[in-house]
Amino acid sequence: MARISERLRVSRRIAAITESATLAVDAKAKAMRAAGQDVIGFGAGEPDFPTPDHIVRAAIAACSDPVSHHYTPAAGLPELRTAIAEKTMRDSGFECSANQVLVTNGGKQAVYNAFQVILDPGDEVLLPAPYWTTYPESIALADGVPVALSTTEATEFRVSVEQLEAARTSQTKALVFCSPSNPTGVVYPPDEVAAIGRWAAEHGIWVVTDEIYEHLTFGTHRFSSLPVVAPDVAESCIVVNGVAKTYAMTGWRVGWMIGPRDVVAAASNLQSHSTSNVANVSQAAALAALTGDLAAVAEMRAVFERRGTVMHSMLSAIPGVRCIKPQGAFYCFPSFAGVLGRTIRGQTPTSSLELCELILEEARVAVVPGEAFGAQGYARLSFALGDDDLVEGVSRIAALLS
Ligand SMILES: Cc1ncc(COP(=O)(O)O)c(C=O)c1O
């Protein structure tokens, strides 16, 4: 029998993908915990709360209804697509119709679909860094070329129109925009969102705007939707969103993309041959979430804000660590540049990757190295975990580094 040679077993396209670093850190922490070690995990980007009760009850009811035991249209339950269009108007002020909505397996599939539909081989996608770790892989899976644009704390990790313009080439097809941002926790002010949107519209560049953290903003920071503050871009804009972060529903796998009709129809065709519809019961749960009130969301937001303040002040007190106060989402993204090169317990980490390994080994605390987000020297810590663990975990880091 002929054997497939090692080189050909996995396609080049897929072999080039790296494992999601955030999921890998989380998995390592969970494995250490399962082995009896006392590990605190700041890796996972998911709320620690259970899904609110009224949403779970709607799912239980859907489970018992044989209607839910069957396929829905690939693009999603019609009533859910309508609810998403209405919720979008309610929450961000963006007007769209139900046939501009495609229900996807989490926001992640919306990102994947978006790039599959708009990119041809060699198309460049401007990607402000630090970026969510999935974007470059998703772009590459569509044969696109991610063009990372570095930002630092000096500009609060916000990209400028000048930077975008300097990176624009004849191959530039799209821009990724994410505010509130994973991993930096930064929220762009409305005038900057508008300027970026106008720039994209002027140059005929697609914008894939990720609004998954829209409800999680702190202090005076407010979310603004790019196609609302820059309406000219609406015809070349894809909005990504989902229930995962807002309603503590990461496991239910419901997200969506909103875009011009031709793009959404193309993405529905793609999805009809890949995953088909999102689980019917999960769609019923999402419908309850989006049509219900936002009381539980407000409560969770307030808890995240309080935890973010605690984590920020504890991190900022560690010598050599600098940290912007989180403005949204649920992450601190401190710079550890002042710690690198120092000898700690006999080791001298020179990169954030090495430092994070040391922190895991010596302090038994899992944090995600900045390299995963295109930003060496930093690390991401999620504050979507219980207060006691949060304080204990950051105290351990402080004890190790001080
Ligand atoms: C910026 C951003 N977009 C999209 C997602 C996708 O979320 P999900 O696929 O769970 O809906 C995440 C999850 O970590 C995220 O951080």
Side-chain angles (χ1 to χ4, degrees), residues 225-316:
S225 177
L226 190 136
V228 173
V229 294
D232 289 351
V233 86
E235 271 308 296
S236 50
C237 181
I238 297 173
V239 175
V240 171
N241 207 331
V243 291
K245 317 289 175 171
T246 304
Y247 300 95
M249 289 180 73
T250 46
W252 299 81
R253 309 309 304 137
V254 185
W256 55 88
M257 61 184 278
I258 302 173
R261 282 191 186 88
D262 55 344
V263 160
V264 169
S268 301
N269 290 344
L270 166 67
Q271 191 165 298
S272 74
H273 291 294
S274 52
T275 55
S276 290
N277 65 274
V278 172
N280 210 331
V281 170
S282 287
Q283 292 193 65
L287 183 62
L290 299 180
T291 53
D293 70 33
L294 291 166
V297 175
E299 277 170 34
M300 290 190 275
R301 193 211 61 79
V303 173
F304 287 136
E305 177 158 16
R306 179 173 50 71
R307 291 178 184 166
T309 304
V310 171
M311 181 181 267
H312 168 257
S313 61
M314 288 183 74
L315 286 170
S316 303

Side-chain angles (χ1 to χ4, degrees), residues 153-241:
E153 313 104 284
T155 60
E156 293 193 339
F157 299 110
R158 299 196 307 268
V159 77
S160 65
V161 167
E162 291 69 34
Q163 245 182 311
L164 294 171
E165 182 56 21
R168 184 170 65 86
T169 72
S170 58
Q171 291 299 107
T172 306
K173 184 74 178 281
L175 159 71
V176 178
F177 187 74
C178 180
S179 169
S181 158
N182 173 6
T184 66
V186 158
V187 180
Y188 282 65
D191 57 326
E192 291 185 24
V193 181
I196 289 171
R198 280 197 302 270
W199 171 84
E202 186 188 329
H203 297 290
I205 291 171
W206 281 95
V207 182
V208 176
T209 181
D210 190 334
E211 303 191 342
I212 205 145
Y213 294 99
E214 65 179 331
H215 285 284
L216 296 177
T217 58
F218 310 136
T220 55
H221 298 278
R222 292 285 171 274
F223 161 73
S224 25
S225 177
L226 190 136
V228 173
V229 294
D232 289 351
V233 86
E235 271 308 296
S236 50
C237 181
I238 297 173
V239 175
V240 171
N241 207 331

